[in-house]
């Protein structure tokens, strides 16, 4: 490409980075998304993710944002020729990262957040302005902790299971 004197913004603002991506929402299904990151500079193979999404554009954005977060870099891009609807075959010959349970993980996180909010609200009368448990409310506080930890522990176990998929 020959330099024309135009700024990057003049050339690319308002245009899609991936113009042939289907954004039509449908049923959730599996997508394979391959992303070339900084490893490409050393001749290494790209990363491949399998995500569950309702469209190609959602699948690509999920995989790309996950890659950026995991690898802590924005030096990456999707390889369209190696990205497709469906999961790789069992004998595909390469490793891929399964992100299909990622949505369930975030739903479990939200459930735990709601439980913590409910606990904080229920326990507020047992604490002083600095958050310390009042001596005369220690029994009530301990009972409340016992009630909530019975719900929280299974949620934490679920999160530990799902955490391998984010």
């Amino acid at each position: 490409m020959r330099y024309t004197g135009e700024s990057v913004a003049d050339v690319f603002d308002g245009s899609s980075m991936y113009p042939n991506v289907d954004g039509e929402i449908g049923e959730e299904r599996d997508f394979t998304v391959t992303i070339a990151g900084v490893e490409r500079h050393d001749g290494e193979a790209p990363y491949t993710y399998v995500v569950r999404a309702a469209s190609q554009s959602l699948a690509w954005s999920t995989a790309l944002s996950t890659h950026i977060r995991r690898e802590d870099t924005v030096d990456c891009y999707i390889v369209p020729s190696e990205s497709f609807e469906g999961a790789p075959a069992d004998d595909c010959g390469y490793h891929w990262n399964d992100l299909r349970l990622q949505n369930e993980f975030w739903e479990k996180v939200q459930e735990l957040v709601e439980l913590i909010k409910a606990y904080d609200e229920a326990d507020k009368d047992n604490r002083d302005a600095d958050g310390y448990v009042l001596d005369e409310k220690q029994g009530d506080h301990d009972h409340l902790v016992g009630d909530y930890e019975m719900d929280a522990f299974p949620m934490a176990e679920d999160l530990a299971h799902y955490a391998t998929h984010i």
Side-chain angles (χ1 to χ4, degrees), residues 28-106:
E28 286 206 340
R29 55 210 186 271
D30 295 343
F31 288 89
T32 298
V33 183
T34 300
I35 299 175
V38 295
E39 72 287 344
R40 72 187 185 278
H41 302 299
D42 297 326
E44 295 179 35
Y47 286 79
T48 300
Y49 299 94
V50 175
V51 299
R52 183 158 309 213
S55 71
Q56 181 185 12
S57 62
L58 290 173
W60 284 23
S61 64
T62 298
L64 192 57
S65 62
T66 299
H67 184 84
I68 289 168
R69 180 175 44 83
R70 282 184 170 185
E71 300 302 316
D72 195 27
T73 184
V74 295
D75 182 9
C76 57
Y77 59 88
I78 293 172
V79 182
S81 63
E82 296 179 28
S83 301
F84 52 89
E85 186 171 335
D90 290 338
D91 61 350
C92 65
Y94 56 88
H95 170 78
W96 46 275
N97 300 282
D98 193 344
L99 301 179
R100 291 177 286 187
L101 295 179
Q102 190 166 244
N103 291 341
E104 287 86 348
F105 172 81
W106 292 114

Side-chain angles (χ1 to χ4, degrees), residues 123-139:
D123 196 46
K124 70 179 182 185
D125 292 335
N126 298 329
R127 299 176 175 273
D128 65 18
D130 293 324
Y132 294 103
V133 177
L134 300 166
D135 289 339
E136 66 274 12
K137 296 288 191 165
Q138 186 67 52

